[in-house]
Amino acid sequence: MTDEASEDRRDGRIQSLERAFSVLEEVARHRSGITLSELSRELGLHTSTLYHVTRTLVSLGYLRTGPDDKRYRIGRGIFQLASACLDEAEICATATPYLEKLAEATGEASHYAIWERRKALILVRHAGPNALQINERAGTLRPVYCTAIGKALLSGLEPDAYDEYTRDVDFAPYTPSTLKDAQELRLQVEKARRDGIAFDDCEFNAEVRCMAATVRDFSGKVVGAIGFSGPVWRMSLTDMAEYTSITRSIAAELSEQFGFRTEEVASDATSTTKARSKSHGKA
């Protein structure tokens, strides 16, 4: 075995694999791409070494370069691997500990929802310790305009997608508090986007209040919403305000499990808000 091969396998680890994963992780931190020289500076590795690593990763489809620049970006292979990990069973298993944590913190039933046919699908739920729990069964579809989980999901859409998803909403009045039109909904969704939290104040069920926060995946896309529901006589508006921070925090922890880096939330929210403002002539 050559000295180089021995060095590559010291301590039972394969150095070339470590370097490859270091490259992938660093490229993932730069959404607009990163050059070879920038990679060299960030990782402390010589460009000749990195050239062979990046060339291999590009040939395998795990990195790509743009047609008009020499910046490396995450390739389709990574997304295919991530998609294989995030099937529904895996999502449920990943979300369950955080649902348990939210239910314990609030005393109420918690749930995790995803998009399904332009509605919010409650994928998995967990009962809280309090008596008289709200029964949100897994597999239930809920309208997005009058539920906290729905508004949280809407807050993650780009302008064109938001318009498409809300174009045909009929605003059926489930309760006297149900939102009545698209303008009311837009205002609440924009607030949810700014605050990182969405509310349902007796809009779907006159006896229930709900709260939900967005969950993002490795690409920064909002892929779900985690929240909880409780009866109005046990959950005052003051109680809801007190649970805002813990709900956002648990959503951020779950997002990290799906590969999202929480430090990117602020920059992503800022860029998305600017895009929306420009699309509505406010920039």
Side-chain angles (χ1 to χ4, degrees):
M1 182 178 293
T2 66
D3 291 341
E4 182 177 354
S6 298
E7 176 72 14
D8 197 40
R9 290 171 174 80
R10 63 182 179 183
D11 300 327
R13 299 181 303 178
I14 301 177
Q15 190 179 59
S16 56
L17 277 177
E18 289 182 336
R19 287 175 174 171
F21 280 103
S22 294
V23 168
L24 289 172
E25 290 173 353
E26 191 62 37
V27 172
R29 294 188 184 102
H30 297 78
R31 300 253 177 109
S32 59
I34 184 171
T35 65
L36 194 66
S37 60
E38 290 170 339
L39 270 175
S40 175
R41 183 171 61 252
E42 293 293 334
L43 298 177
L45 295 173
H46 198 277
T47 53
S48 61
T49 299
L50 286 173
Y51 172 77
H52 294 293
V53 174
T54 54
R55 184 178 181 184
T56 300
L57 290 172
V58 168
S59 70
L60 294 172
Y62 296 117
L63 287 183
R64 62 185 175 87
T65 55
D68 301 320
D69 61 27
K70 296 181 179 180
R71 306 184 74 82
Y72 291 98
R73 297 173 176 83
I74 291 297
R76 182 177 298 175
I78 291 294
F79 294 100
Q80 290 173 333
L81 288 177
S83 297
C85 293
L86 293 180
D87 60 19
E88 288 191 3
E90 184 67 23
I91 291 173
C92 291
T94 302
T96 294
Y98 299 92
L99 292 173
E100 293 173 352
K101 186 175 181 179
L102 184 58
E104 182 64 29
T106 62
E108 307 296 347
S110 59
H111 39 260
Y112 180 77
I114 61 174
W115 280 110
E116 177 68 26
R117 302 196 300 274
R118 302 193 181 184
K119 291 187 176 183
L121 170 67
I122 298 175
L123 193 62
V124 59
R125 68 180 299 277
H126 186 78
N130 285 342
L132 301 175
Q133 294 285 300
I134 302 302
N135 185 21
E136 294 276 16
R137 291 184 309 229
T140 302
L141 285 172
R142 291 286 184 250
V144 294
Y145 66 93
C146 58
T147 58
I149 50 177
K151 294 171 193 173
L153 290 171
L154 285 170
S155 74
L157 295 178
E158 294 297 328
D160 290 346
Y162 177 88
D163 292 340
E164 179 183 350
Y165 272 55
T166 59
R167 184 178 298 123
D168 299 324
V169 172
D170 60 3
F171 293 96
Y174 288 91
T175 76
S177 299
T178 302
L179 301 186
K180 297 176 176 59
D181 56 46
Q183 180 61 23
E184 282 188 316
L185 177 60
R186 186 179 294 277
L187 289 173
Q188 288 210 12
V189 171
E190 288 177 352
K191 188 176 189 307
R193 190 178 305 118
R194 290 193 306 270
D195 299 343
I197 202 84
F199 298 94
D200 160 13
D201 186 12
C202 308
E203 298 163 40
F204 181 70
N205 183 325
E207 302 298 324
V208 176
R209 288 192 173 106
C210 309
M211 176 187 296
T214 54
V215 174
R216 298 170 183 263
D217 68 3
F218 60 94
S219 69
K221 178 183 177 182
V222 172
V223 292
I226 185 171
F228 66 94
S229 304
V232 292
W233 53 266
R234 194 163 59 210
M235 281 179 47
S236 67
L237 294 177
T238 301
D239 293 330
M240 295 285 281
E242 291 176 353
Y243 292 137
T244 297
S245 179
I246 186 65
T247 303
R248 275 196 300 242
S249 176
I250 291 174
E253 292 174 13
L254 179 54
S255 294
E256 287 183 351
Q257 292 300 308
F258 289 150
F260 184 69
R261 298 178 183 276
T262 54
E263 63 268 19
E264 296 174 358
V265 171
S267 60
D268 286 352
T270 299
S271 61
T272 302
T273 300
K274 287 180 179 179
R276 284 187 170 86
S277 297
K278 185 174 181 181
S279 71
H280 293 292
K282 298 177 183 178

